[in-house]
Amino acid sequence: MEETYLLNVEGVKKKILHGGHGELPKVQDGSKITFHFQTLKDDFERTVIDDSREAGMPMEIIVGKMFKLEIWETLLRSMRAGEVAEFWCDAIHTGMYALVSRGMRRIAEGRDPLEGQKHRCGMGNMFDYHSTGYDDLDELQRTPQPLIFIMELFRVEEPSAYKRDTWAMNKEEKLAAVPVLHSEGNRLVLRKEFGQAAEKYQEAVICLRNLQAKEKPWEEGWLKLESLVTPLVLNYCQCQLELGEYYEVLEHTTELLQKHKDNAKAYFKRAKAHAAVWNEREAREDFMRVAQLDPSMAAAVKKELNLLGERMRTKDVEDRKNYQGLFKSSRG
């Protein structure tokens, strides 16, 4: 079809290449949309930037889960199942594409899509990056420009229709679930819902551990998965610290440090757990180890050591008072 359809959105043009069937799907928060996409530059050659078919599997997004390229949800909502459409999007909608593409490429490579990302808004993270690690994406980041998206919509599933237990997922489904669970956990942390966040991180770790069990320990495939596991375990431990589950933190950080002896963040979280359960010597040793491994954390370590000292002095005074009271009562 040659006619160009203008969506009721500024800076977007739509052209249907192949008509779909049925009514427009009902899309709600939590719906899973499965589709193939191709991203092209708006130049004479129509240079291809990304093509999900080359990755061998379609793209999936969960509606309302803070997906960084919001315009994609708008485009997909306008499509019927089986439809193929071409969308021209002005630069006002494509400024975040470099970061989105970077994350998708890292997932395809078996790397952590959040590696190096600070806990800030998307635009803040964009300005923090000196390089995405991909020359073509660096160019898009430096000079935001209109892009063309060719999309083929396969299906839209209601939240209750696609939820599957971890054990029932195949390898590709588990890998795809991990960044979604990671993002959901981060969102719940921002809302201070630490119990639910911990469950999301734990579920993501289980997915990865199941995959690791099929790899040879310390070989390339196992190490790639381990690089995804470590930040999730640390996030899980932070939630447990907030919930007061200190022995849980001690168990998981100790297990982590048996594999990664130089992980300063693991030492820091274990030190805080030791301090919370009055293990003064162990806490001080772990805090000092943090300062040695990561000098940038020296100020945080100093603050925690001061707090530990104050708590121990207060505890000592209270213990003496209790002991004296007990001694007097026994004499009476």
Side-chain angles (χ1 to χ4, degrees):
M1 298 179 66
E2 292 298 324
E3 184 178 1
T4 296
Y5 294 82
L6 300 179
L7 293 178
N8 190 26
V9 179
E10 181 183 357
V12 175
K13 298 177 184 177
K14 175 183 178 182
K15 181 164 64 177
I16 297 177
L17 305 179
H18 177 77
H21 52 81
E23 301 294 325
L24 283 175
K26 294 181 179 179
V27 180
Q28 57 183 304
D29 278 1
S31 293
K32 182 170 75 172
I33 305 179
T34 304
F35 60 100
H36 265 310
F37 75 95
Q38 192 177 47
T39 305
L40 305 90
K41 285 187 177 181
D42 185 24
D43 57 13
F44 181 77
E45 295 83 7
R46 287 167 64 94
T47 305
V48 176
I49 300 172
D50 289 307
D51 188 338
S52 62
R53 286 180 174 81
E54 291 185 358
M57 57 187 298
M59 177 73 178
E60 295 178 346
I61 63 173
I62 308 298
V63 175
K65 297 300 183 184
M66 299 177 70
F67 186 70
K68 292 188 177 70
L69 201 66
E70 294 179 7
I71 192 62
W72 273 15
E73 288 189 10
T74 302
L75 306 183
L76 291 162
R77 284 173 185 269
S78 77
M79 300 178 69
R80 291 174 169 80
E83 179 177 322
V84 181
E86 177 177 310
F87 300 91
W88 177 91
C89 294
D90 190 75
I92 59 173
H93 299 297
T94 63
M96 296 299 297
Y97 185 77
L99 290 186
V100 172
S101 177
R102 173 183 184 266
M104 292 187 295
R105 292 183 187 186
R106 286 189 167 212
I107 292 171
E109 295 165 3
R111 300 165 63 191
D112 182 0
L114 302 175
E115 179 183 331
Q117 181 169 318
K118 298 181 180 180
H119 294 287
R120 294 172 54 185
C121 68
M123 290 304 293
N125 277 314
M126 171 174 276
F127 292 120
D128 278 337
Y129 293 134
H130 297 293
S131 171
T132 62
Y134 305 93
D135 291 342
D136 58 339
L137 299 184
D138 286 346
E139 178 192 347
L140 290 181
Q141 192 164 264
R142 286 191 298 268
T143 56
Q145 56 196 269
L147 294 175
I148 297 168
F149 302 111
I150 300 176
M151 294 180 161
E152 179 181 1
L153 177 64
F154 293 132
R155 58 187 173 273
V156 176
E157 298 170 86
E158 296 181 1
S160 59
Y162 69 85
K163 177 66 176 177
R164 301 180 65 186
D165 291 331
T166 299
W167 64 266
M169 295 180 181
N170 60 32
K171 178 179 179 180
E172 289 72 24
E173 288 170 331
K174 287 175 182 174
L175 284 173
V178 168
V180 174
L181 291 166
H182 198 153
S183 295
E184 289 179 350
N186 292 349
R187 177 174 58 85
L188 289 163
V189 166
L190 291 174
R191 292 165 52 179
K192 299 189 182 302
E193 297 177 13
F194 299 111
Q196 293 182 49
E199 290 177 2
K200 297 296 182 183
Y201 295 137
Q202 187 177 46
E203 188 175 350
V205 169
I206 290 171
C207 285
L208 294 169
R209 291 297 191 206
N210 287 342
L211 293 174
Q212 266 191 319
K214 300 175 183 178
E215 302 283 345
K216 290 185 178 180
W218 302 104
E219 292 194 357
E220 183 178 0
W222 188 93
L223 288 170
K224 283 184 177 180
L225 293 169
E226 185 68 16
S227 70
L228 301 178
V229 167
T230 301
L232 288 163
V233 172
L234 290 172
N235 287 359
Y236 173 82
C237 288
Q238 183 59 43
C239 291
Q240 297 302 323
L241 281 174
E242 298 287 350
L243 294 168
E245 300 291 343
Y246 304 120
Y247 290 102
E248 181 89 353
V249 177
L250 291 175
E251 177 185 348
H252 288 284
T253 50
T254 298
E255 181 182 350
L256 192 63
L257 287 166
Q258 288 172 350
K259 299 176 184 175
H260 310 286
K261 300 184 185 302
D262 295 333
N263 192 304
K265 291 182 179 179
Y267 277 111
F268 189 77
K269 295 185 193 304
R270 190 172 74 171
K272 292 195 70 169
H274 275 309
V277 295
W278 308 105
N279 296 337
E280 181 181 14
R281 179 180 61 79
E282 292 87 346
R284 290 188 181 278
E285 288 177 354
D286 279 353
F287 279 132
M288 295 307 295
R289 183 68 173 142
V290 172
Q292 292 172 355
L293 290 171
D294 188 351
S296 69
M297 297 181 70
V301 167
K302 182 178 180 181
K303 178 181 177 181
E304 292 294 337
L305 287 172
N306 288 337
L307 287 173
L308 176 61
E310 291 174 8
R311 290 184 70 235
M312 295 308 299
R313 284 191 292 273
T314 300
K315 183 176 184 296
D316 184 55
V317 170
E318 291 177 352
D319 287 347
R320 288 184 180 182
K321 288 181 178 178
N322 291 335
Y323 177 76
Q324 289 175 352
L326 179 64
F327 182 71
K328 288 179 180 178
S329 62
S330 63
R331 289 182 61 184

